[in-house]
Amino acid sequence: MFECSMPKTERLGECTDWIDLSFVERERTPRSIIEKGIRHHLAGLSLANTVLLLEESGVDRSRVAIHNWVQKADLQPASGHEPDRVAVDQKAIRINDEQYWLYAAVDPATNRILHCRLFPTYTIPISREFLTELTEKHDVSDAVFLVDDADDLVGALRKGNYSYRVQQHGFRNSVERVFREVERRTSSFSNCFSHVDPATAETWLQSHAVWWNHV
């Protein structure tokens, strides 16, 4: 479903304590194999190549099964951070033949993704919704938000009385690195999710953010 060619996997780590497998009940696949499949798929292996990887471990599972593992795990970036700065931006993501917008907030000090969401458009109300969700997850009361000159983000920050700075480079490069990784991860299907609904694509993007935060 999310096809890509064999990726660079130099950032793969063996630790999988960030993968919540509470959804597993009577799964016939060992948990260690499920963790391995999720971790490698989020790191960059296509579903087809993840199937081949698991076959090397003596386990025969379909692409649909691996896709379902990622969806059922429903990974989300951890909450409870208190960043001094937050870089925020949005990027166009195509789902089938429609364009959506990936919003992401990154802590430049750690390069960790604090929050990400997928929306059908970008407006000031949408940006305010994203910022409200961010403040519910993290203490950003003293943070300076770093944004480009996008009207929706600047307008939302003004209406919410957030402290912000328009900045094209410097600390804001952290969110650009995140988007470059998303582009790398989706490059072989032309930055487009095919044959999925927006909620499914959003779950994958949020799960990928959790992987990013732990490697």
Side-chain angles (χ1 to χ4, degrees):
M1 190 166 292
F2 299 111
E3 293 302 325
C4 73
S5 58
M6 187 71 72
K8 296 178 180 178
T9 57
E10 64 272 12
R11 298 186 70 200
L12 278 177
E14 293 301 322
C15 179
T16 55
D17 58 1
W18 48 273
I19 300 177
D20 181 5
L21 295 183
S22 59
F23 67 89
V24 177
E25 295 179 356
R26 297 181 180 178
E27 175 64 56
R28 61 195 179 100
T29 308
R31 291 191 174 215
S32 61
I33 294 297
I34 296 176
E35 290 174 341
K36 184 175 183 178
I38 292 174
R39 177 164 53 89
H40 280 78
H41 178 47
L42 294 178
L45 281 184
S46 68
L47 288 171
N49 284 327
T50 305
V51 167
L52 294 176
L53 178 72
L54 298 187
E55 286 178 353
E56 293 177 357
S57 300
V59 177
D60 182 13
R61 292 295 177 269
S62 67
R63 291 184 296 176
V64 172
I66 297 167
H67 163 75
N68 288 340
W69 294 343
V70 174
Q71 293 293 311
K72 290 178 180 178
D74 193 23
L75 302 173
Q76 297 282 338
S79 59
H81 294 283
E82 300 180 32
D84 295 326
R85 299 180 182 87
V86 179
V88 183
D89 206 348
Q90 78 276 90
K91 179 176 181 58
I93 298 287
R94 294 198 66 80
I95 300 177
N96 301 316
D97 295 325
E98 298 183 13
Q99 184 164 277
Y100 286 75
W101 293 88
L102 172 64
Y103 277 69
V106 177
D107 180 353
T110 62
N111 284 329
R112 285 178 174 268
I113 300 171
L114 301 171
H115 187 45
C116 63
R117 281 289 313 280
L118 198 62
F119 293 101
T121 186
Y122 64 98
T123 62
I124 290 178
I126 288 291
S127 296
R128 291 195 70 182
E129 179 180 346
F130 177 78
L131 292 172
T132 297
E133 291 176 355
L134 177 67
T135 60
E136 291 173 351
K137 295 182 65 175
H138 306 284
D139 182 358
V140 295
S141 56
D142 296 325
V144 176
F145 286 80
L146 308 177
V147 294
D148 59 13
D149 56 358
D151 291 340
D152 61 309
L153 283 171
V154 172
L157 289 165
R158 285 175 177 170
K159 286 182 178 294
N161 293 317
Y162 295 97
S163 177
Y164 74 93
R165 182 185 310 145
V166 175
Q167 184 173 327
Q168 299 296 335
H169 303 290
F171 285 113
R172 212 184 68 81
N173 285 343
S174 58
V175 73
E176 294 297 336
R177 284 193 290 273
V178 169
F179 286 141
R180 283 197 296 271
E181 172 63 19
V182 170
E183 285 182 326
R184 183 198 70 78
R185 181 61 182 85
T186 61
S187 61
S188 64
F189 46 87
S190 302
N191 207 30
C192 177
F193 291 92
S194 299
H195 311 300
V196 298
D197 58 30
T200 299
E202 182 177 64
T203 296
W204 186 90
L205 289 163
Q206 291 170 337
S207 299
H208 181 69
V210 176
W211 169 82
W212 170 273
N213 289 347
H214 286 85
V215 295

